[in-house]
Amino acid sequence: HRVEQRCEVLVRADASHVEQIGPSGKFRRLGAGETVGPVLDRLGVPKSRPYLLYVGGISPHKNLTTLLDAMKTVLDRHDVSLVMAGDLDADGFLANASELKAKLAADPRLESRATFTGFVSDDDLVALYQGAAALVFPSLLEGFGLPAVEAMACGTPVLASRVGSLPEVVGDAGLLFDPRSAREIAASIDRLLDSDDLRADLVRRAEARSHLFTWERAADLALDSLERAAV
C-alpha cells in the first residue's frame, strides 16, 4: 500500500510524540447489510475459521518470520488462519517474500493456514479489517504504523509490537508484545482468541481510540506547535 494514498494528513506536532496521521474516511465499521464474504472469496481467504490479519510491507523489518514462528505455537491450540496483505514486490531488493514462502513450504500445517493476498485496495482492506479477529503488527521499526489506526477505525483489536511508535498509537486499545519473542506474540494471540470478553472490550477501545486520529486533531496539533515555536 502507498501510505500517501491512504492518509489525509501527516505532521510532527511535538518532538515527544509520533507524527499524527488520520486514516481515510473509508476506514470505518461496516453497517448492517454490508458483508465481507465476497471480498474474502475474491482474495482467497478461507471463511471456515477465524483469521488474524497483517497489513503492510513484506520486508525483514516487518518481522513476519517471527510472526510465522509464533503461529506454529498458536496452531497447537487454535484453528485459525493468518492473512498477510501487502504488495509482494513493492520493496524490491529489500523484500523477503521468498524467505517467507520457503518457511511456509517447510511446514505444511503452517502453509495451509497462511494466505498472501498481494496488493489490496482500500475498499477491500476495510472488509479484511472488519472480518479479522485482530490485526497482528509485529514490526521491529515503525515511523507511525498507519495500519494500526485503520484497524482501530474499523473496530478491529490490535496486537502490536511494543517498540517504536506503536505503543503510543495503540494505547489501551490493544495488546503489546516483544516483537523479538515468538513466545510473547503467540501468548498475545492466544489471550485474545481465548476470551470473547477481552476481544469485545478491545473492539470498543479500538473504535474509541481511533477518533483521536483525525485531520482536525492533526491540524490543531500543528497549529499549537507553530504557536509555541513563535513564542
Side-chain angles (χ1 to χ4, degrees):
H1 281 348
R2 294 182 179 275
V3 169
E4 64 268 25
Q5 292 177 340
R6 289 159 49 204
C7 66
E8 295 180 350
V9 67
L10 167 60
V11 292
R12 178 167 292 281
D14 187 283
S16 63
H17 295 284
V18 299
E19 289 99 345
Q20 170 73 58
I21 291 180
S24 163
K26 291 183 178 182
F27 294 94
R28 57 179 177 79
R29 294 288 296 273
L30 295 180
E34 295 181 285
T35 61
V36 304
V39 173
L40 301 187
D41 289 339
R42 184 160 16 91
L43 295 176
V45 177
K47 295 185 292 186
S48 58
R49 65 184 70 91
Y51 67 88
L52 302 162
L53 177 65
Y54 164 81
V55 175
I58 311 296
S59 54
H61 77 278
K62 297 296 187 177
N63 199 33
L64 295 180
T65 53
T66 307
L67 175 56
L68 292 182
D69 287 337
M71 285 298 298
K72 294 179 183 180
T73 300
V74 172
L75 290 176
D76 289 338
R77 300 188 59 231
H78 298 280
D79 184 15
V80 64
S81 298
L82 174 64
V83 176
M84 293 169 281
D87 191 336
L88 295 174
D89 301 316
D91 294 317
F93 70 92
L94 292 177
N96 68 333
S98 59
E99 176 188 0
L100 297 173
K101 290 179 179 179
K103 194 175 185 69
L104 291 174
D107 188 328
R109 183 183 66 157
L110 184 60
E111 185 177 38
S112 71
R113 294 294 188 272
T115 300
F116 286 107
T117 67
F119 173 81
V120 177
S121 70
D122 283 356
D123 290 334
D124 286 352
L125 188 55
V126 172
L128 274 181
Y129 281 130
Q130 190 74 79
L135 175 75
V136 186
F137 209 21
S139 296
L140 298 171
L141 176 67
E142 284 292 335
F144 179 74
L146 183 58
V149 178
E150 292 175 341
M152 291 189 294
C154 294
T156 304
V158 178
L159 312 182
S161 166
R162 67 165 60 101
V163 304
S165 62
L166 291 173
E168 185 174 345
V169 171
V170 175
D172 66 353
L175 304 179
L176 301 177
F177 51 71
D178 178 354
R180 297 171 182 82
S181 171
R183 183 175 65 178
E184 277 202 30
I185 297 173
S188 293
I189 294 172
D190 283 340
R191 184 181 170 194
L192 179 91
L193 296 177
D194 284 339
S195 175
D196 291 339
D197 288 342
L198 172 62
R199 186 177 186 279
D201 182 52
L202 291 178
V203 166
R204 289 191 294 269
R205 291 174 182 268
E207 192 169 18
R209 187 165 181 81
S210 72
H211 298 314
L212 297 177
F213 299 92
T214 65
W215 184 44
E216 290 81 3
R217 183 168 185 265
D220 288 342
L221 291 171
L223 180 60
D224 180 65
S225 293
L226 292 173
E227 289 176 341
R228 285 187 284 113
V231 173

